[in-house]
Amino acid sequence: MRTDTGQIVHLADYRPTDFVLERVDLTFELDPTNTKVDARLIFHRREGVDPSAPLVLDGDELTLSGLLLDQNEVPAAQYDATPESLTIRDLPAESPFEITVTTFINPEANTQLMGLYRTNGVYCTQCEAEGFRRITYFPDRPDVLAPYTITIIGDKAANPVMLSNGNFLGGAGYDEGRAFAAWFDPHPKPSYLFALVAGDLGVVEDKFVTMSEREVTLKIYVEHGKEARAAYAMDALKRSMKWDEERFGREYDLDIFMIVAVSDFNMGAMENKGLNVFNDKYVLADPETATDQDYANIEAIIAHEYFHNWTGNRITCRDWFQLCLKEGLTVYRDHEFSADQRSRAVKRIAEVRHLKSEQFPEDAGPLAHPVRPTKYREINNFYTTTVYEKGSEVTRMIATLLGRDDFKAGMDLYFERHDGQAATVEDFVKSFEDASGRDLTQFSLWYHQAGTPLVTVSSDYDQASGTFKLSLEQMIPATPGQTAKEPMHIPLSFALILDNGSAAVPTKVAGGEVTGDVLHLTERRQTFTFSGISSRPVLSLNRSFSAPINLHLDQTPAALAHIARHDTDLFARWQALTDLALPNLMQAARDAREGKAITCDPAFVTALIEAAGDETLEPAFRAQALTLPSEADIARELGGNNDPDAIHAGRNAILSEIAKAGTKTFLRLFEDMKVKGAFTPDAASAGMRSLRNSALSYLTYAEGTPARAAAAFASADNMTDLAQALAVLAHRFPDAPETADALATFLARFDGNALVVDKWFSTQATIPGAGALARVKALMENPRFIATNPNRVRSLIGTFAFGNPTGFNRADGEGYRFLAEQILAIDPRNPQLAARILTSMRSWQSLEPQRADHARAALSTIEQSATLSTDVRDIVERMLKG
């Protein structure tokens, strides 16, 4: 493990490598503790490079075992080797030359799960971002592309499956007890996309016929006995391949596409060319063990990794500063896929919920950074919601600005120009400019300026002239390293809704550009005047969340209720209900903190219950409407000096008020939304289950007993209903005998199924209240808690820190001290996992002073450790500095 402080890497310092890599031949002789790696690399010196320039290759915890130059041993005086680098001097000035590097590595001991590691008897690689340098010395950067030929030699009995990128060349016996398999990937790729998997695995196989009528073999490898649980993943893969052809014209380019599911994995999945490696939680599903959300996640992540084949693999990043060019763009593509497969409005609501709960706090805290950063210390720490989700929103805004046809033309031009290249954000934007003729210079500030813009809105209506004036002002807050901000180009979808619910159609608009239902805010202050408006309209702004902004628009409860009833944009209807809820929830938190009685605006309660019972709305949308802003959402809106206990108490009081007022509606929904027949994960059935379970939750507030939830648990015939009933029992009635019985029954039924046991841990980790920390500590003593398994650690420690505001944010600071202890324990084994869990404290400065002091002390304890990884040191120092 690297324990240096890490060098700062700057975008401005980018320059191409001195040497061009022409091809890569890798031979692996697998051994659990002593794998031999021979890397045969052919280079030529780039034109114009000093003939005396040495070749410098990256390493990480490597020991050089052998080094050849054109098949001759290199004298010791000609090279310098350390665990972190290999420098070779006196190389041929003009002609290509061949370097052969031999290293030995220990996959069994690789608990970082980066590079080549072995888990549960399976060899696996994870090379993004800089894991390949843990396998062999190499120019480990994304702009070094070459074709790869791979030979894998291993014990035949232990490794009947030996896979790598590309097309299979063949395999046979090698010597006594061993076999080999050879693979060739003709598409030049960077080292981070290299993959190798070997072990004894089961396989599910299918075929896909592309739009040019080529037959592609599809294979999903899983642990033996779990093949049936990969059926939905295979179906999602085939739908993804077809959708990408139809929507973006992208056809798959190899003879085979493979997915391997492993249980120990730092990420959700990895898009290695032709050989995707997945965390098994995003592959395995059946009605007994997977929830509707699990099915939706599998569908989305299978699609995401497949879509990377073009946006990430065929066109990759010039450098890691361009990470959003593959991740943000591909998130946009998988969001669009899921929207087409399911409900577009419901999908958009879910996207925005996630963006606001995860990315907005990042933008507002010490870890804020632009979508395209200009510097980093540890690139693993920039796999963030800003790069992924905000990066997706930037792509979505380009689509909004240009319209469907010009956006498609821009994507086609991007694919045409940069196929096989390592590209930049500027290359991407230029494709859209050239395809549409639109100047996107100002818009590109979305890539370069951190922070969430605040748009303040006021309006004025003149009955005599029939004009409606809309005044807007934008402000981008200061963020670490960026104090002065320029005005952004913010596309705002809008509607002017009249008293009868219809949309006003202005005869003229002045004050700025308006295209269709989108007005373009480009100045710091701007006033739009709409003529021909017969009566004062209700303004619906930022419909479908056309821009990732905070909006300050004072509207009466009556106006918001009007939008919730009449807007044709379902997202805007949901947002209006949310905007009705937030003032009530915020005031409830303040009142709870001051010991005052908590009340709720009847207009809000009426609007919410009316939406819940509106049978013209799809059940999934109504379930979203009933899901009030979370405690984290309330804390974000309050802005600072937050008391998590008061927020929790206030929110619960509001839930109780809604439950009592809407009991009849919730009883009807609980009965009417029961899905008949066998479980299917289709969107309509999932929506009904979601609405029914929302009704169940409210009914427990109205009735005040665990009886209904216990009965729902006992009668559940699928994991969605079972897990939700268990969560209601645990969170509402943690000390009830019914809850203890349900937790024991759940564990006994699913003991041995790791993914379901993770749910059991997570449910208990999020039980609110003062007893949460003791509960988590006790669960860590459970023999089922495996500290080396990332999924298990995330399910308990990560879920507690991220998802239990009252239990984690204890006033005495014990939750923070506990997390500091855990980070220091996890870091030596798995720095990436430790760093990501540590980001749960990113909003510590918004806490009330006593808690903030405890949080700062815990962070300081971590910072003072002399053996921190670069990953954790980078995060903790930025959080304390910010």
Side-chain angles (χ1 to χ4, degrees):
M1 180 185 70
R2 290 175 295 167
T3 57
D4 55 58
T5 57
Q7 294 183 341
I8 303 296
V9 181
H10 295 269
L11 171 61
D13 293 338
Y14 171 83
R15 67 181 185 89
T17 56
D18 288 343
F19 296 86
V20 176
L21 181 63
E22 295 185 3
R23 62 175 290 176
V24 178
D25 295 339
L26 296 172
T27 300
F28 290 82
E29 295 187 41
L30 298 176
D31 181 272
T33 60
N34 196 35
T35 290
K36 181 183 180 183
V37 183
D38 284 322
R40 178 173 170 263
L41 315 172
I42 298 179
F43 293 95
H44 70 263
R45 195 179 300 269
R46 196 179 297 276
E47 185 177 352
V49 169
D50 184 343
S52 65
L55 174 65
V56 180
L57 305 179
D58 302 305
D60 184 0
E61 295 187 339
L62 293 180
T63 300
L64 182 67
S65 178
L67 180 63
L68 304 177
L69 171 59
D70 291 331
Q71 296 302 308
N72 295 309
E73 187 172 342
V74 180
Q78 195 177 336
Y79 70 89
D80 296 311
T82 72
E84 283 71 45
S85 70
L86 172 62
T87 301
I88 310 171
R89 296 176 292 275
D90 302 327
L91 297 167
E94 297 179 1
S95 60
F97 57 89
E98 177 185 297
I99 295 289
T100 303
V101 180
T102 300
T103 54
F104 286 86
I105 54 179
N106 185 347
E108 198 80 70
N110 186 1
T111 62
Q112 292 189 39
L113 309 185
M114 286 291 290
L116 176 66
Y117 61 96
R118 191 168 186 260
T119 174
N120 297 324
V122 176
Y123 294 91
C124 183
T125 56
Q126 171 56 34
C127 294
E128 187 176 1
E130 295 177 340
F132 193 81
R133 64 187 62 187
R134 294 177 59 77
I135 296 172
T136 188
Y137 292 101
F138 198 82
D140 189 16
R141 43 189 281 176
D143 61 342
V144 176
L145 283 71
Y148 282 59
T149 302
I150 308 299
T151 302
I152 308 169
I153 302 165
D155 182 272
K156 186 185 301 185
N159 305 292
V161 172
M162 292 190 289
L163 311 174
S164 191
N165 311 79
N167 294 321
F168 182 56
L169 296 180
Y174 184 74
D175 55 21
E176 186 174 354
R178 295 202 298 173
F180 83 90
W183 296 81
F184 174 61
D185 187 353
H187 299 282
K189 67 172 180 282
S191 54
Y192 83 85
L193 290 174
F194 168 76
L196 179 152
V197 174
D200 188 5
L201 296 165
V203 63
V204 176
E205 187 169 345
D206 207 332
K207 301 287 184 182
F208 180 81
V209 179
T210 71
M211 60 186 183
S212 66
E213 299 186 350
R214 286 189 309 105
E215 186 174 85
V216 178
T217 298
L218 308 178
K219 292 186 177 183
I220 300 180
Y221 292 89
V222 299
E223 293 178 6
H224 288 291
K226 297 180 179 179
E227 291 87 348
R229 295 169 64 193
Y232 189 77
M234 181 65 81
D235 178 66
L237 173 60
K238 293 169 71 175
R239 285 185 282 120
S240 302
M241 297 176 80
K242 182 175 177 59
W243 183 89
D244 210 20
E245 290 182 343
E246 294 174 346
R247 178 71 179 271
F248 285 95
R250 299 298 102 196
E251 181 177 358
Y252 187 62
D253 51 9
L254 290 169
D255 299 333
I256 187 169
F257 185 88
M258 299 172 287
I259 290 172
V260 179
V262 296
S263 57
D264 289 338
F265 203 63
N266 280 341
M267 299 184 176
M270 179 61 209
E271 71 268 17
N272 318 294
K273 180 70 178 176
L275 177 57
N276 289 186
V277 179
F278 271 66
N279 188 318
D280 60 2
K281 70 183 292 186
Y282 298 120
V283 171
L284 303 176
D286 60 33
E288 186 180 14
T289 61
T291 66
D292 288 318
Q293 189 58 56
D294 291 330
Y295 278 101
N297 288 341
I298 289 169
E299 179 180 82
I301 295 172
I302 290 282
H304 180 95
E305 305 307 331
Y306 174 75
F307 296 155
H308 266 312
N309 188 62
W310 278 90
T311 50
N313 297 3
R314 286 287 288 258
I315 305 176
T316 193
C317 301
R318 188 196 71 177
D319 51 69
W320 289 121
F321 295 101
Q322 321 298 329
L323 185 58
C324 66
L325 185 59
K326 75 180 187 77
E327 294 301 349
L329 174 57
T330 305
V331 169
Y332 169 76
R333 279 157 45 74
D334 84 55
H335 282 177
E336 286 295 289
F337 169 75
S338 294
D340 285 345
Q341 299 293 303
R342 295 172 177 265
S343 162
R344 181 164 289 272
V346 172
K347 174 62 178 170
R348 188 63 182 142
I349 292 166
E351 291 163 10
V352 174
R353 279 190 186 277
H354 180 64
L355 185 78
K356 287 190 172 185
S357 67
E358 300 296 330
Q359 196 279 321
F360 276 31
E362 187 168 271
D363 244 356
L367 300 183
H369 63 86
V371 171
R372 209 260 304 264
T374 58
K375 63 180 181 179
Y376 63 79
R377 176 187 291 180
E378 173 52 66
I379 186 56
N380 288 323
N381 291 338
F382 278 89
Y383 284 74
T384 63
T385 53
T386 296
V387 166
Y388 280 67
E389 276 69 29
K390 190 173 182 178
S392 169
E393 294 300 313
V394 174
T395 302
R396 182 178 298 278
M397 285 189 288
I398 294 175
T400 299
L401 289 176
L402 301 187
R404 188 180 182 97
D405 291 344
D406 280 350
F407 179 76
K408 176 65 164 57
M411 287 297 301
D412 288 345
L413 185 57
Y414 174 66
F415 291 132
E416 177 186 337
R417 279 182 178 173
H418 300 291
D419 186 15
Q421 297 180 5
T424 66
V425 164
E426 285 76 15
D427 295 327
F428 182 65
V429 173
K430 187 68 163 58
S431 297
F432 290 105
E433 289 185 323
D434 291 349
S436 67
R438 183 169 193 127
D439 184 351
L440 296 176
T441 302
Q442 183 187 15
F443 176 80
S444 293
L445 289 171
W446 281 100
Y447 286 107
H448 310 309
Q449 293 190 155
T452 305
L454 171 65
V455 176
T456 302
V457 184
S458 61
S459 63
D460 180 67
Y461 176 69
D462 185 272
Q463 179 72 55
S465 61
T467 57
F468 179 73
K469 287 187 177 182
L470 187 60
S471 297
L472 304 102
E473 181 176 357
Q474 61 168 295
M475 187 277 291
I476 302 93
T479 53
Q482 287 187 342
T483 53
K485 304 294 177 78
E486 296 297 320
M488 310 274 263
H489 183 166
I490 303 176
L492 295 168
S493 176
F494 75 99
L496 306 176
I497 305 173
L498 300 175
D499 287 345
N500 63 3
S502 65
V505 180
T507 57
K508 180 183 176 182
V509 182
E513 181 185 3
V514 177
T515 54
D517 67 346
V518 177
L519 60 85
H520 299 260
L521 175 60
T522 57
E523 306 294 333
R524 196 169 299 279
R525 297 178 185 84
Q526 205 164 340
T527 297
F528 293 82
T529 301
F530 302 86
S531 300
I533 308 298
S534 60
S535 60
R536 183 177 185 95
V538 171
L539 172 66
S540 179
L541 192 62
N542 207 27
R543 300 162 84 230
S544 292
F545 211 66
S546 57
I549 62 169
N550 284 310
L551 189 64
H552 182 78
L553 170 60
D554 286 330
Q555 288 180 301
T556 65
L560 291 170
H562 193 65
I563 295 171
R565 292 187 182 97
H566 298 295
D567 203 315
T568 56
D569 184 295
L570 284 176
F571 174 87
R573 295 176 74 166
W574 170 82
Q575 185 64 62
L577 290 169
T578 299
D579 290 343
L580 276 169
L582 275 169
N584 288 278
L585 293 165
M586 293 163 67
Q587 188 58 49
R590 296 186 190 102
D591 289 342
R593 189 172 186 176
E594 296 174 8
K596 295 180 180 179
I598 295 171
T599 60
C600 189
D601 181 0
F604 157 59
V605 175
T606 299
L608 187 66
I609 295 170
E610 182 181 294
D614 187 347
E615 296 184 2
T616 67
L617 299 172
E618 59 182 313
F621 174 85
R622 289 187 272 166
Q624 286 283 2
L626 285 171
T627 305
L628 295 187
S630 69
E631 291 171 34
D633 292 330
I634 300 164
R636 183 184 68 249
E637 293 297 324
L638 286 169
N641 194 27
N642 291 324
D643 180 342
D645 293 329
I647 292 171
H648 177 75
R651 186 175 185 273
N652 273 3
I654 298 297
L655 286 167
S656 294
E657 288 296 312
I658 296 167
K660 292 171 185 174
T663 299
K664 289 183 179 179
T665 297
F666 298 133
L667 284 169
R668 176 172 58 81
L669 291 174
F670 187 72
E671 296 302 322
D672 293 351
M673 291 296 119
K674 184 170 179 59
V675 181
K676 307 296 194 297
F679 175 93
T680 59
D682 63 279
S685 299
M688 291 177 66
R689 281 188 289 271
S690 182
L691 183 54
R692 185 173 191 264
N693 284 318
S694 293
L696 170 65
S697 182
Y698 275 101
L699 287 171
T700 62
Y701 279 93
E703 296 166 349
T705 74
R708 187 179 296 274
F713 180 86
S715 63
D717 60 2
N718 62 81
M719 179 54 72
T720 299
D721 291 341
L722 190 73
Q724 182 60 27
L726 181 66
V728 170
L729 282 168
H731 295 168
R732 291 281 296 119
F733 311 101
D735 300 320
E738 291 91 338
T739 300
D741 290 345
L743 286 167
T745 299
F746 188 90
L747 181 60
R749 179 175 172 182
F750 297 106
D751 203 3
N753 186 315
L755 297 180
V756 183
V757 173
D758 283 343
K759 298 181 194 298
W760 183 78
F761 275 103
S762 292
T763 297
Q764 296 176 83
T766 50
I767 296 174
L773 180 58
R775 186 178 296 108
V776 168
K777 288 181 176 180
L779 287 167
M780 289 182 67
E781 299 299 319
N782 189 297
R784 298 167 186 82
F785 180 75
I786 305 168
T788 57
N789 178 264
N791 281 353
R792 190 56 48 85
V793 173
R794 282 187 288 258
S795 72
L796 183 59
I797 299 171
T799 299
F800 171 65
F802 280 105
N804 194 334
T806 58
F808 177 58
N809 295 291
R810 288 169 50 132
D812 61 6
E814 284 300 314
Y816 311 133
R817 286 187 280 276
F818 165 78
L819 185 68
E821 293 169 3
Q822 297 309 310
I823 296 301
L824 292 174
I826 296 167
D827 189 36
R829 298 192 303 268
N830 192 326
Q832 282 191 39
L833 180 63
R836 286 171 184 163
I837 292 176
L838 180 56
T839 63
S840 61
M841 293 184 69
R842 62 180 176 246
S843 299
W844 69 272
Q845 291 168 324
S846 69
L847 295 164
E848 53 82 19
Q850 180 182 342
R851 286 178 169 88
D853 286 344
H854 287 309
R856 182 188 296 106
L859 290 169
S860 296
T861 298
I862 296 172
E863 184 191 32
Q864 290 162 14
S865 171
T867 58
L868 284 185
S869 68
T870 306
D871 306 61
V872 170
R873 184 167 297 282
D874 175 48
I875 293 292
V876 72
E877 287 184 356
R878 283 196 284 149
M879 284 204 287
L880 285 169
K881 182 179 179 181

